[in-house]
Amino acid sequence: MIVLLLSSCVTNEEIATEYISTATGLTGLEAAEVYAEGIERTDSFQLYYNLAYSYLEAGEYEKAISTAEEALTIFPDALRFMYLKAYALREEGKIYSYELELKSILEKDPGNDQIRSMLLSHYLNIGRANDAEELAREIIVYDPTNQDALRALANSSEFYASIAPSSSPRNPSTTEKGWTVPPSLYMPLGVFNGDRMPNL
């Protein structure tokens, strides 16, 4: 009776911490296995986030997407899961779905300049000059040195053409960091740059 009483006093946070501690030092599918086991016991934000991220790390993008979507049904306002989902969609080559996810993030967080810039880069990468120009006009108001905005506006303005950086082949993969670089604790958008997530 005492054992049952004590076990019922364990909080969801304590359960999550137990699995997070167990997964410390593990990556990819090994870590995902631990987090998935933890989620069977508790709906923990940290466990869901770590599970989705571990799937990303392992290149299991479909599993990362479905984990993020499941988490969003429990935590509908958690932009971090939307970031993870968008990253997985981009890496899987689902370009239109990636675009829609970026737009969804902007609907929830209209002041998110980093996501707006990523959407602009997306438009430039796929050759949507008109959409890029329209978005660049918004961006240039608050960030007059944004290189992508200047490039996008150069197509229709001699002024911007004269100050825009020279066009070079766009290859975002060459500027991305490896998974081994830890992000700042409060920089969840770092996942788009390949930042390695600390255990939450």
Side-chain angles (χ1 to χ4, degrees):
M1 180 77 161
I2 293 173
V3 172
L4 287 174
L5 185 60
L6 288 173
S7 65
S8 66
C9 293
V10 176
T11 67
N12 286 340
E13 188 176 319
E14 289 172 324
I15 293 170
T17 300
E18 172 190 332
Y19 286 94
I20 291 167
S21 295
T22 302
T24 299
L26 301 177
T27 59
L29 293 178
E30 290 180 332
E33 190 176 323
V34 175
Y35 298 133
E37 189 179 316
I39 285 171
E40 291 177 10
R41 291 185 57 199
T42 181
D43 289 337
S44 160
F45 180 96
Q46 291 91 347
L47 289 176
Y48 268 106
Y49 187 80
N50 289 8
L51 177 61
Y53 190 93
S54 295
Y55 283 139
L56 282 181
E57 202 171 38
E60 296 283 348
Y61 301 122
E62 281 300 324
K63 289 182 179 179
I65 292 166
S66 63
T67 301
E69 287 174 343
E70 185 179 335
L72 284 164
T73 64
I74 303 166
F75 311 103
D77 296 323
L79 291 175
R80 287 180 138 199
F81 292 111
M82 297 179 81
Y83 301 151
L84 287 170
K85 182 180 174 186
Y87 179 85
L89 289 166
R90 184 184 76 182
E91 293 304 294
E92 200 169 43
K94 294 185 174 180
I95 301 304
Y96 183 63
S97 296
Y98 168 65
E99 177 183 328
L100 292 180
E101 194 64 25
L102 292 180
K103 288 180 177 178
S104 294
I105 294 170
L106 285 174
E107 283 177 21
K108 284 186 176 279
D109 186 13
N112 195 323
D113 298 336
Q114 189 170 359
I115 291 293
R116 188 169 278 102
S117 290
M118 290 170 65
L119 184 58
L120 174 59
S121 293
H122 164 72
Y123 286 149
L124 290 171
N125 286 336
I126 63 172
R128 298 234 317 255
N130 292 339
D131 291 327
E133 183 179 336
E134 184 180 337
L135 192 54
R137 291 193 184 285
E138 291 177 30
I139 292 172
I140 207 73
V141 170
Y142 62 84
D143 185 2
T145 62
N146 184 295
Q147 304 293 293
D148 282 340
L150 292 171
R151 272 193 211 73
L153 293 170
N155 294 329
S156 62
S157 163
E158 287 184 27
F159 169 74
Y160 287 114
S162 69
I163 63 171
S166 62
S167 293
S168 58
R170 299 181 52 78
N171 187 359
S173 63
T174 60
T175 60
E176 291 181 348
K177 299 176 186 173
W179 287 105
T180 57
V181 180
S184 167
L185 182 61
Y186 297 105
M187 293 297 290
L189 281 172
V191 71
F192 284 99
N193 297 322
D195 290 348
R196 177 73 174 93
M197 176 197 70
N199 287 331
L200 292 177

